[in-house]
Short mmCIF file of all heavy atoms in Angstrom, two decimals:
data_model
loop_
_atom_site.label_atom_id
_atom_site.label_comp_id
_atom_site.label_asym_id
_atom_site.label_seq_id
_atom_site.Cartn_x
_atom_site.Cartn_y
_atom_site.Cartn_z
N VAL B 113 1.58 39.30 55.90
CA VAL B 113 2.14 39.49 54.60
C VAL B 113 1.07 39.13 53.58
O VAL B 113 0.51 38.02 53.60
CB VAL B 113 3.38 38.57 54.38
CG1 VAL B 113 3.95 38.68 52.97
CG2 VAL B 113 4.49 38.94 55.40
N ALA B 114 0.82 40.09 52.66
CA ALA B 114 -0.20 39.87 51.61
C ALA B 114 0.47 39.25 50.41
O ALA B 114 1.27 39.90 49.71
CB ALA B 114 -0.87 41.22 51.25
N ALA B 115 0.20 38.00 50.14
CA ALA B 115 0.91 37.30 49.07
C ALA B 115 -0.06 36.63 48.09
O ALA B 115 -1.16 36.27 48.46
CB ALA B 115 1.82 36.24 49.67
N HIS B 116 0.41 36.50 46.86
CA HIS B 116 -0.37 35.75 45.86
C HIS B 116 0.57 34.86 45.05
O HIS B 116 1.19 35.32 44.10
CB HIS B 116 -1.09 36.76 44.92
CG HIS B 116 -1.96 36.01 43.89
ND1 HIS B 116 -2.55 36.71 42.88
CD2 HIS B 116 -2.33 34.74 43.75
CE1 HIS B 116 -3.25 35.83 42.14
NE2 HIS B 116 -3.11 34.61 42.64
N PRO B 117 0.68 33.60 45.50
CA PRO B 117 1.46 32.65 44.65
C PRO B 117 0.57 32.29 43.44
O PRO B 117 -0.52 31.69 43.60
CB PRO B 117 1.62 31.46 45.62
CG PRO B 117 0.60 31.61 46.69
CD PRO B 117 0.06 33.00 46.67
N ILE B 118 1.10 32.68 42.25
CA ILE B 118 0.21 32.52 41.05
C ILE B 118 0.37 31.14 40.49
O ILE B 118 1.32 30.81 39.71
CB ILE B 118 0.57 33.57 39.96
CG1 ILE B 118 0.48 34.96 40.58
CG2 ILE B 118 -0.38 33.44 38.79
CD1 ILE B 118 0.86 36.08 39.62
N ALA B 119 -0.53 30.28 40.90
CA ALA B 119 -0.55 28.87 40.41
C ALA B 119 -1.93 28.34 40.79
O ALA B 119 -2.62 28.96 41.55
CB ALA B 119 0.53 28.07 41.07
N GLY B 120 -2.26 27.16 40.29
CA GLY B 120 -3.55 26.57 40.63
C GLY B 120 -4.00 25.64 39.56
O GLY B 120 -3.34 25.44 38.55
N THR B 121 -5.14 25.02 39.83
CA THR B 121 -5.81 24.26 38.77
C THR B 121 -7.31 24.57 38.91
O THR B 121 -7.69 25.31 39.83
CB THR B 121 -5.64 22.72 38.94
OG1 THR B 121 -6.50 22.24 40.00
CG2 THR B 121 -4.19 22.34 39.29
N GLU B 122 -8.12 23.95 38.08
CA GLU B 122 -9.56 24.21 38.14
C GLU B 122 -10.22 23.32 39.16
O GLU B 122 -11.47 23.33 39.32
CB GLU B 122 -10.20 24.02 36.78
CG GLU B 122 -10.17 22.61 36.22
CD GLU B 122 -8.82 22.16 35.59
OE1 GLU B 122 -7.81 22.83 35.90
OE2 GLU B 122 -8.82 21.18 34.88
N ASN B 123 -9.47 22.48 39.89
CA ASN B 123 -10.01 21.55 40.85
C ASN B 123 -9.93 22.09 42.27
O ASN B 123 -9.28 23.08 42.53
CB ASN B 123 -9.32 20.20 40.72
CG ASN B 123 -9.42 19.69 39.31
OD1 ASN B 123 -10.55 19.67 38.76
ND2 ASN B 123 -8.36 19.23 38.74
N LYS B 124 -10.60 21.42 43.21
CA LYS B 124 -10.65 21.98 44.56
C LYS B 124 -10.54 20.90 45.63
O LYS B 124 -10.79 19.72 45.36
CB LYS B 124 -11.94 22.81 44.77
CG LYS B 124 -13.24 22.01 44.68
CD LYS B 124 -14.42 22.93 44.99
CE LYS B 124 -15.70 22.09 45.05
NZ LYS B 124 -16.85 22.93 45.38
N GLY B 125 -10.17 21.33 46.81
CA GLY B 125 -10.12 20.41 47.93
C GLY B 125 -8.78 19.74 48.12
O GLY B 125 -7.94 19.71 47.23
#
Side-chain angles (χ1 to χ4, degrees):
Chain B
V113 176
H116 182 188
I118 304 178
T121 78
E122 68 280 18
N123 302 314
K124 64 178 185 177

